[in-house]
Amino acid sequence: MSPVIRSTHAGTPGFAGTVRNVSRIAAVATALPSHAYPQQAITDLLAPIVAHDPRKQALMRRMHASSRVATRHLVLPLEEYRDALTFGQTNDRFVEEGTRLAESAVRRALAEAGVRPDEVDLIVFTSVTGLSAPSVDALLVPRLGMREDVKRMPMFGLGCVAGASGIARVHDYLEGHPEDVALLVSVELCSLTVQKDDDSVDNLVASGLFGDGAAAVVLVGAARAAGVHGPDVVATRSRLYPGSGSVIGFRPSETGFRVILTAGVVDVIDANFAADATAFLTDHGLGVPDVATWIAHPGGPKVLDAFQRGLDLPAGALDRSWASMAAVGNLSSSSVLHVLADELRAPHDDHQMGLLFALGPGVSAELVLLRWPEAAEALAAA
């Protein structure tokens, strides 16, 4: 067994050392549906379906054009979105296609991490765009060959924040189980929630912003971290902002989940996020200049601008989030994990600090402090 690796952070300027066990990200893999379309093609098909008033159609086209989204992957062929599907029909597609995408992402993540399916001790599953019982994580266990005694924790309702929250809750588990391997799985099929004949501003915006996708993250406890190249999760923080419950979310209806997406989310960010993020960093002996890597949930152009403005980040700090949003749109809980996957493909300095964060319904925020290990430590034999 490998010795426990503790987050001493020697040599990291400004970082307050700690003796708590860290967890380490071993791999992140993503999966996207095979149907990919330019934003304009999606807009052209949806505009007359979502809005019958020519003025609302024109507004929808302007919103889609200003979304900074270039392409999106959809779980169904584009022409099938003309059909009037019931909630039950779209949810059946969620279970079928979502499980398939989840399996693809998990197989790739486990292979990249060098972990067998029967070595996974905990699987956390999150989604806000479909429902099933048994949940998708239970469906994955026999398909992947996981142990029958694997611990499972499905999460619903966290929305866009769940990618960050999932990493944080897995980290909490691994702090107490340093010899374990854990898996986070996110599947979001947002296109199945687009409401026809709904010309509300919420639906007009959402129909041009959200895409479909999945992601899987393999994390290991400190006792298994030797030889793993990914960053350590060294600290997390959760926030729930009172009085903001009506700002963002879903409202179930006979035709599915009707999105709640108001301009108030930017107001919440402006009023709270920078102070919370800087306080979190300060508590760990860090300031904004000490963070080299910013992994932000690409919630939309105004959301990313608010993050950048509030934290006074240098130009280019959120480029990976902008690029992900342009390439695939906002994937709800999967989005920040797609940005993380892109980030892990880049080289990083020893002890480099990163902050991963997202917002979701509540309004809630989750912050995850990351630290890249020394190259010699990551290359050590397990």
Side-chain angles (χ1 to χ4, degrees), residues 258-339:
R258 292 185 176 270
V259 70
I260 301 169
L261 187 62
T262 72
V265 66
V266 173
D267 296 332
V268 173
I269 295 172
D270 287 341
N272 300 282
F273 185 77
D276 285 339
T278 54
F280 178 52
L281 294 174
T282 298
D283 287 348
H284 294 279
L286 298 168
V288 169
D290 297 311
V291 178
T293 299
W294 299 89
I295 303 169
H297 167 67
K302 293 182 179 179
V303 168
L304 287 177
D305 283 341
F307 288 147
Q308 180 99 25
R309 179 175 63 250
L311 293 168
D312 194 22
L313 297 179
L318 301 182
D319 278 358
R320 293 198 197 282
S321 296
W322 284 105
S324 180
M325 189 172 66
V328 297
N330 180 343
L331 305 179
S332 190
S333 68
S334 297
S335 256
V336 76
L337 305 181
H338 278 242
V339 179

Side-chain angles (χ1 to χ4, degrees), residues 45-96:
L45 181 128
L46 289 182
I49 297 172
V50 170
H52 301 299
D53 185 337
R55 292 171 298 179
K56 287 293 185 74
Q57 288 186 21
L59 175 61
M60 179 176 174
R61 290 181 182 278
R62 291 196 299 272
M63 289 178 167
H64 284 206
S66 64
S67 68
R68 303 281 292 272
V69 175
T71 58
R72 282 185 282 166
H73 291 251
L74 306 180
V75 70
L76 304 179
L78 185 57
E79 59 273 11
E80 290 191 21
Y81 290 89
R82 289 194 177 93
D83 299 337
L85 300 178
T86 65
F87 189 11
Q89 289 172 323
T90 57
N91 200 70
D92 287 346
R93 299 301 292 269
F94 169 84
V95 176
E96 177 185 353

